[in-house]
């Protein structure tokens, strides 16, 4: 059964299935041509819709990118409470790896980072929509572990967050080397060892 239409505040009725089609078209077009060449017209054409359908949802390309990238980043940064730090870390890394392995991600992420160096507004979007969201979620994960007594109270959380994000991103996005089946298990063990050692207490 199709999703019922929804109405923006004081605005027109929006159909969820068309919104989903435009969302898919946005990411496919972004992967195909890059952010600099992406246009509202091309996204609408790829979705089989008119430009008006896009503008009813987002007033500009930047607004569309900010909204959709932030939503995807938030979903990918989910940190379920598994009851243990090892379980939480493994779940976080598994979700992150799935996002980075997506066929479109390998094309989209490097392009966005390159464009962000030239466009401050896009850089701000990536910082608040992706980096801050992911770090906030991961911070919650670490605080849970501290509360459970699995990590020291004086853990250097900013440095731990860098450790958590860096290796996986480097392996999957920069080098592009396919990870071994045990990679996430081994990375989880190494992170646990580093966090518990905490050689630089605050």
């Amino acid at each position: 059964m199709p999703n019922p239409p929804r109405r923006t505040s004081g605005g027109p009725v929006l159909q969820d299935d068309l919104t989903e089609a435009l969302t898919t078209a946005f990411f496919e077009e972004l992967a195909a041509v890059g952010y600099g060449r992406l246009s509202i017209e091309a996204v609408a054409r790829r979705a089989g819709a008119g430009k008006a359908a896009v503008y009813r949802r987002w007033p500009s390309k930047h607004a569309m990118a900010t909204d959709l990238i932030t939503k995807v980043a938030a979903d990918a940064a989910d940190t379920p409470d598994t009851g243990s730090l090892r379980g939480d870390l493994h779940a976080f890394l598994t979700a992150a790896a799935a996002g980075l392995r997506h066929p479109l991600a390998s094309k989209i992420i490097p392009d966005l980072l390159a464009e962000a160096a030239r466009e401050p507004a896009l850089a701000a979007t990536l910082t608040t929509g992706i980096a801050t969201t992911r770090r906030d979620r991961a911070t919650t994960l670490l605080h849970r572990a501290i509360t459970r007594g699995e990590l020291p109270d004086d853990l250097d959380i900013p440095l731990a967050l860098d450790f958590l994000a860096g290796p996986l991103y480097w392996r999957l996005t920069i080098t592009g080397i396919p990870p071994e089946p045990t990679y996430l298990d081994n990375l989880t063990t190494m992170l646990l060892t580093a966090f518990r050692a905490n050689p630089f207490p605050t």
Side-chain angles (χ1 to χ4, degrees):
M1 183 175 180
N3 293 322
R6 59 191 174 88
R7 183 182 298 275
T8 56
S9 178
V13 172
L14 302 180
Q15 294 181 327
D16 287 339
D17 55 349
L18 180 52
T19 300
E20 291 174 7
L22 289 169
T23 298
T24 299
F26 167 78
F27 285 108
E28 290 178 347
E29 189 69 14
L30 182 60
V33 304
Y35 183 81
R37 294 174 57 196
L38 183 140
S39 68
I40 295 292
E41 293 81 0
V43 171
R45 185 168 54 250
R46 187 182 283 269
K51 289 190 298 181
V54 178
Y55 285 117
R56 281 196 295 269
R57 293 161 173 80
W58 304 283
S60 65
K61 178 175 82 171
H62 177 72
M64 179 192 294
T66 298
D67 180 43
L68 297 181
I69 290 171
T70 298
K71 286 178 179 176
V72 169
D75 290 342
D78 190 27
T79 54
D81 187 349
T82 68
S84 72
L85 177 56
R86 175 177 286 278
D88 289 356
L89 285 176
H90 198 278
F92 182 85
L93 293 171
T94 299
L100 292 173
R101 284 176 178 146
H102 191 283
L104 299 183
S106 61
K107 299 178 181 179
I108 290 173
I109 294 174
D111 172 74
L112 286 177
L113 293 176
E115 287 292 336
R118 296 185 286 268
E119 186 173 329
L122 179 60
T125 293
L126 297 181
T127 298
T128 58
I130 298 180
T132 301
T133 298
R134 294 188 65 80
R135 287 179 76 86
D136 286 348
R137 298 283 182 88
T139 297
T140 298
L141 181 158
L142 296 175
H143 278 304
R144 281 203 306 255
I146 292 172
T147 299
R148 289 193 297 247
E150 296 178 284
L151 289 176
D153 293 339
D154 57 357
L155 176 70
D156 186 334
I157 289 181
L159 184 57
L161 294 174
D162 291 342
F163 267 67
L164 183 57
L168 190 62
Y169 180 82
W170 178 266
R171 180 66 178 266
L172 297 181
T173 303
I174 303 301
T175 69
I177 300 173
E180 303 83 7
T182 58
Y183 180 75
L184 291 182
D185 290 334
N186 294 341
L187 179 56
T188 298
T189 297
M190 184 170 287
L191 289 172
L192 281 169
T193 301
F195 294 167
R196 286 168 175 164
N198 195 32
F200 307 111
T202 56

